[in-house]
Amino acid sequence: MAESRNGQVRADSRRNRAAIVTAARAAVAELGDKVSLEQIARLAQVNTRTLFRHFPTKDDLLAAVLEDYFAERVEPVLRRAAADPDPRRALETVLTESTTAFVEQPGVLALISGGARTSGIAPRYLEPLAEILTRARKAGAVRDDLTPDDIPCLVTMLVAGASHAGPDWPRYLALVLDSLPPEAARAPLPPISR
């Protein structure tokens, strides 16, 4: 009987955690990271004590939102791109789908501020991205001076442009994609200062 009760408590805890992360994602989409934990608790239909038991700090909760969104929207793109035999198309897939994911949820992109929130996610994004980019460079599909650090910057730039261009943002994505082949390079890129 105690075992059955413990199983129910664990199930309730998982449900509460999922409800909190779902509510936080919705709140972040609407209000960005300025949303209060009390607002999120109300949306999740839990009390603040329950919220704090799962997420002791706001940064812990926002990191969970990033983790959830990354697992749902970005990791599948990276897996699909890694499996694509065409290295240029693989890189285009990453740029297109990553940009689309963040255009759809600009509040999530705003959460990416480095530090603790992205410490576990960044390597999981950059490592497969580096492999995809290395494959594209070896195939001569992209310029040699493009680095894995350039890709998140390009995505951020495209998402920022989407707020200005609205539904026409794919035009600027096409412009960026056209600049990637070696024959499009008129001069080497300036070195990264770090």
Side-chain angles (χ1 to χ4, degrees):
M1 176 112 160
E3 194 172 303
S4 172
R5 188 175 184 306
N6 286 341
Q8 183 61 44
V9 168
R10 283 192 298 275
D12 289 346
S13 180
R14 282 191 300 274
R15 243 188 327 277
N16 284 340
R17 187 184 193 290
I20 293 166
V21 172
T22 299
R25 260 180 76 170
V28 163
E30 186 179 332
L31 304 168
D33 65 355
K34 304 293 183 239
V35 66
S36 75
L37 293 176
E38 291 76 18
Q39 289 171 297
I40 293 169
R42 274 194 305 277
L43 283 169
Q45 298 180 339
V46 300
N47 61 44
T48 52
R49 235 178 27 253
T50 299
L51 186 146
F52 283 114
R53 188 171 35 252
H54 289 283
F55 303 101
T57 69
K58 185 175 180 178
D59 268 350
D60 291 332
L61 177 54
L62 296 179
V65 168
L66 279 173
E67 176 72 33
D68 185 63
Y69 195 71
F70 184 87
E72 178 187 308
R73 292 288 284 140
V74 179
E75 283 183 333
V77 170
L78 292 171
R79 283 192 299 273
R80 211 170 55 247
D84 191 330
D86 181 330
R88 170 143 174 102
R89 188 174 56 220
L91 190 57
E92 288 179 4
T93 296
V94 169
L95 275 170
T96 302
E97 295 298 321
S98 296
T99 302
T100 301
F102 291 119
V103 165
E104 290 172 357
Q105 292 284 323
V108 173
L109 182 64
L111 296 180
I112 300 174
S113 60
R117 285 188 202 158
T118 58
S119 63
I121 294 173
R124 288 185 9 231
Y125 178 72
L126 291 176
E127 288 169 16
L129 182 58
E131 292 171 19
I132 292 165
L133 183 57
T134 298
R135 213 168 32 111
R137 278 197 309 248
K138 284 181 180 175
V142 297
R143 53 190 302 156
D144 282 335
D145 52 358
L146 192 64
T147 72
D149 289 336
D150 292 326
I151 306 303
C153 292
L154 290 174
V155 170
T156 302
M157 186 173 66
L158 287 164
V159 172
S163 67
H164 175 71
D168 295 328
W169 73 265
R171 173 184 174 89
Y172 303 101
L173 172 64
L175 184 62
V176 167
L177 293 174
D178 282 350
S179 72
L180 298 181
E183 60 273 11
R186 296 179 67 207
L189 292 171
I192 294 176
S193 61
R194 349 181 200 115

